[in-house]
Amino acid sequence: IFVEHTQDKTLASQCVVKPYRDSSAPVGVMRFTIVPNAAYQKTIDARPPSTDVPEPPCGDWGEGPDGVAYFEAQPSRNPHKLLYVNVGQDEPLFDDNSLRLLPASTPAH
């Protein structure tokens, strides 16, 4: 999904899927994010420091320096869908452990 929706294919090739750093996901839920691969991370780390907030290194779908965002899969509920959760900079105004995908056979209303 990330590669398909990232116009800059060079950027997409420099990023990898990693488990999301927050381990508070409910049982049966997998959370992950898109981060720079080792070589790309070295390039980023070599840049001179800046006072500006940098752009997310892997684009809008990847991990960013100024907010909380991740993908969530719930394979036992619906193995064909996932959620993209973008909480932003502040504490979420919802319980992110309460997110639920509908079963594949149930039409969404």
Side-chain angles (χ1 to χ4, degrees):
I1 292 172
F2 171 71
V3 172
E4 288 177 10
H5 290 91
T6 302
Q7 291 181 354
D8 183 346
K9 299 305 178 196
T10 301
L11 175 70
S13 71
Q14 296 175 320
C15 297
V16 294
V17 176
K18 293 281 186 174
Y20 183 64
R21 66 185 178 275
D22 178 12
S23 62
S24 66
V27 174
V29 171
M30 299 181 312
R31 292 181 177 162
F32 51 94
T33 188
I34 312 294
V35 298
N37 65 23
Y40 184 31
Q41 186 63 54
K42 283 183 182 180
T43 301
I44 293 167
D45 292 343
R47 293 178 184 159
S50 172
T51 58
D52 296 331
V53 175
E55 292 294 320
C58 291
D60 293 337
W61 294 96
E63 184 174 70
D66 65 343
V68 175
Y70 56 86
F71 289 89
E72 178 172 309
Q74 300 175 3
S76 64
R77 293 186 181 272
N78 190 328
H80 304 290
K81 292 186 179 181
L82 37 104
L83 300 166
Y84 177 69
V85 181
N86 188 335
V87 175
Q89 294 179 337
D90 299 319
E91 288 293 318
L93 299 175
F94 60 93
D95 178 4
D96 60 348
N97 288 332
S98 68
L99 299 173
R100 299 288 182 265
L101 287 168
L102 297 174
S105 60
T106 302
H109 297 288

